[in-house]
Amino acid sequence: MSVGAMQPTDPDAISQKLAEDRKRALSQQVRSMVTAGGRIESQADFEAVIATGKDVNHTLHAILTIATCLLWGIPWAVIAATGGVKRQLVTVDEFGDVLVQRIETKR
């Protein structure tokens, strides 16, 4: 008989531990993304949606474009093309691997 740490043999106990490890991995990834300036839009046990950026204020840019005799139209087009809210889906698979995917949103 060897002396050592006993391993749990109950499958429910093993899956419970794995679930807790997956939740911890998600929590760490979400925390780092929020620290970098993101915000949580939704979160479940093993996935979360993190958003960065702000919506483009098209009303303000339309007023500026009219006030500057259409000169502001070029910067507005660049801001509209590159700005806006960017979303990422963070998931943790059954092996504990963290995957971050960009979510494309239709405009």
Side-chain angles (χ1 to χ4, degrees):
M1 185 163 135
S2 65
V3 178
M6 293 192 54
Q7 297 294 324
T9 57
D10 182 18
D12 291 335
I14 293 171
S15 66
Q16 178 83 19
K17 183 175 186 276
L18 293 177
E20 290 302 318
D21 291 341
R22 291 172 65 193
K23 289 177 185 178
R24 188 176 310 111
L26 178 68
S27 174
Q28 290 172 349
Q29 181 67 34
V30 167
R31 186 179 308 119
S32 70
M33 294 175 81
V34 168
T35 302
R39 62 188 177 280
I40 302 170
E41 284 197 339
S42 68
Q43 185 171 356
D45 286 342
F46 306 118
E47 67 181 25
V49 175
I50 308 296
T52 57
K54 298 181 197 174
D55 286 327
V56 176
N57 187 344
H58 292 288
T59 304
L60 172 65
H61 290 289
I63 293 168
L64 288 173
T65 301
I66 293 168
T68 61
C69 298
L70 305 180
L71 289 176
W72 188 254
I74 295 170
W76 180 15
V78 172
I79 292 169
T82 60
V85 177
K86 310 256 189 299
R87 290 178 178 83
Q88 294 178 314
L89 175 65
V90 182
T91 57
V92 180
D93 65 11
E94 60 272 7
F95 303 107
D97 296 325
V98 178
L99 178 65
V100 180
Q101 301 175 18
R102 183 175 175 199
I103 300 174
E104 296 290 330
T105 55
K106 295 182 181 183
R107 295 180 184 195

